[in-house]
DNA sequence: CCTTTAAGATACGTTGCGTTTCCTATCGAA
DNA sequence: TTCGATAGGAAACGCAACGTATCTTAAAGG
């Protein structure tokens, strides 16, 4: 038998579909992604997919969630600036990796599907990133580079918003000068300004 | 004659199409906007539209450009904070007016059409908004609220990026507390931090 | 072993795409 | 005023993907 004419079910099948989705995403992007292509690539059929996900947006978000890497350790490179550059670079790289085209597409579709919007928002709000930011700032405080400062939500979400905005407008990858500008012209001055009180 | 069976050309026709586009946009949004519907509403036909614009994205950007209001005067409400709240609120309102759904949709489609991306970027980079920001800051400096400070590009684009991010993620309208948080937690501290040197 | 569940294949009607064809109103030059 | 070039309007096209319905049959479990 060259063909494993097996019929998958449950978890195995689902994972195969999500893998196929991810592969399609990488190959043709979000806008051009079709359910039919995903079905074919996964070796299954449309109804199987529609039985599990309401829409392309739902499917893609599922695939994305599974792909999410867990947070790697936080840096301590000896200076606040160095840590911030590292952090922003990391965000920019990840953004380039899973195309901003996908993000833009999903965000657009999310208007049709409130649950997707919610899911996406929660996923990005509670991002492990905020933990890293806090950690980096704490280190700077410990080093005496910065006076103790509390970080409002809006400040915590800023890195992601900024990188996303630039990536979507200029297309990835985000150039190094832009990343440095985010740090030197925005985030560092902002932290210093917050620490004034 | 109840019917003006006239056949429009050139500028008149073009304007009618753009008006129809804008109306459709307001009614069904970007994602659901179809060229056929625009053609019908404008009382013309698809080929006429395709002769002028390559895609839905091009068409919508054209319509949007025509609709762009010219900048109203800059404020001077007596304090930097008040001016900034006014400014951010204005940005948020405009964002709510021409749906963030449209922005998200166009941005997503822009990946397929580099000229659209360029057009959009230029339009938003050179936004009259940056002039207003400079003016507001100058006034604060003149009042003695702030030491003289130069504003990097990244700082100038921040208001638009921030409001857009929030509008797209939470859906419009952007709540007042969010606007105030942008001013109190981000922009004001940032300006003060920049003015430290 | 026999029942239940759902995978996989196929086909369906629908919608909007972007294009082509054809006819004729409008415009500008002669 | 006439005539030829230009371009608007209407209709139809083939195509692609949508989302659904139908049917057969493999897998899972008691």
């Amino acid at each position: 038998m060259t063909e494993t004419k097996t019929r998958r079910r449950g978890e195995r099948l689902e994972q195969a579909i999500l893998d196929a989705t991810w592969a399609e995403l990488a190959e043709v992007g979000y806008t051009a992604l079709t359910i039919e292509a995903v079905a074919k690539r996964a070796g299954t059929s449309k109804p199987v997919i529609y039985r599990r996900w309401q829409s392309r947006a739902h499917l893609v978000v599922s695939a994305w969630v599974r792909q999410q890497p867990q947070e790697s350790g936080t840096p301590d490179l000896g200076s606040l600036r160095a840590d911030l550059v590292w952090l922003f670079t990391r965000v920019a790289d990840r953004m380039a990796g899973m195309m901003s085209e996908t993000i833009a597409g999903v965000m657009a579709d999310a208007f049709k599907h409130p649950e997707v919007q919610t899911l996406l928002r929660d996923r990005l709000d509670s991002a492990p990133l905020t933990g890293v930011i806090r950690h980096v700032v704490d280190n700077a405080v410990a080093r005496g580079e910065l006076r103790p400062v509390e970080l409002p939500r809006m400040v915590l979400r800023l890195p992601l918003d900024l990188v996303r905005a630039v990536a979507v407008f200029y297309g990835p990858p985000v150039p190094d000068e832009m990343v440095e500008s985010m740090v030197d012209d925005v985030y560092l001055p902002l932290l210093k300004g917050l620490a004034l009180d």
Side-chain angles (χ1 to χ4, degrees), chain A:
Chain A
M1 306 287 165
T2 56
E3 277 290 320
T4 324
K5 205 71 203 68
T6 189
R7 184 183 282 188
R8 298 153 302 174
R9 284 203 175 201
E11 186 53 36
R12 252 178 55 65
L13 176 57
E14 186 158 325
Q15 190 56 52
I17 294 171
L18 292 178
D19 287 348
T21 304
W22 197 250
E24 279 292 311
L25 217 43
E27 216 164 87
V28 305
Y30 181 78
T31 310
L33 181 142
T34 72
I35 301 284
E36 299 195 298
V38 171
K40 173 175 277 186
R41 186 189 277 259
T44 181
S45 63
K46 286 195 291 172
V48 174
I49 294 180
Y50 279 110
R51 227 169 268 143
R52 291 160 202 268
W53 295 279
Q54 288 181 38
S55 71
R56 190 171 54 147
H58 288 84
L59 174 62
V60 167
V61 170
S62 276
W64 172 64
V65 166
R66 295 254 177 141
Q67 220 67 27
Q68 274 283 78
Q70 43 278 22
E71 204 49 41
S72 58
T74 60
D76 189 346
L77 304 174
S79 82
L80 176 55
R81 181 180 187 277
D83 283 353
L84 286 178
V85 168
W86 177 92
L87 188 152
F88 274 81
T89 303
R90 223 172 131 274
V91 174
D93 286 351
R94 183 180 298 183
M95 199 70 83
M98 82 83 71
M99 283 317 182
S100 8
E101 187 265 338
T102 299
I103 299 174
V106 173
M107 290 193 327
D109 272 3
F111 283 88
K112 276 186 299 194
H113 306 285
E115 336 85 63
V116 170
Q117 181 152 354
T118 306
L119 215 161
L120 212 54
R121 182 170 63 230
D122 293 349
R123 195 94 206 162
L124 290 170
D125 255 13
S126 68
L129 188 66
T130 64
V132 181
I133 297 173
R134 274 190 234 272
H135 195 255
V136 163
V137 169
D138 285 348
N139 282 348
V141 170
R143 265 187 229 110
E145 276 193 85
L146 203 64
R147 294 177 41 197
V149 56
E150 67 171 282
L151 302 172
R153 290 180 80 74
M154 201 56 91
V155 172
L156 289 171
R157 61 173 298 162
L158 191 56
L160 214 46
D161 285 343
L162 211 46
V163 171
R164 194 187 310 118
V166 171
V168 166
F169 266 90
Y170 291 85
V174 177
D176 286 349
E177 329 72 276
M178 286 264 190
V179 171
E180 291 190 6
S181 171
M182 290 179 205
V183 173
D184 293 327
D185 298 332
V186 178
Y187 216 69
L188 221 35
L190 169 57
L191 289 178
K192 291 193 174 145
L194 282 171
L196 284 181
D197 318 319

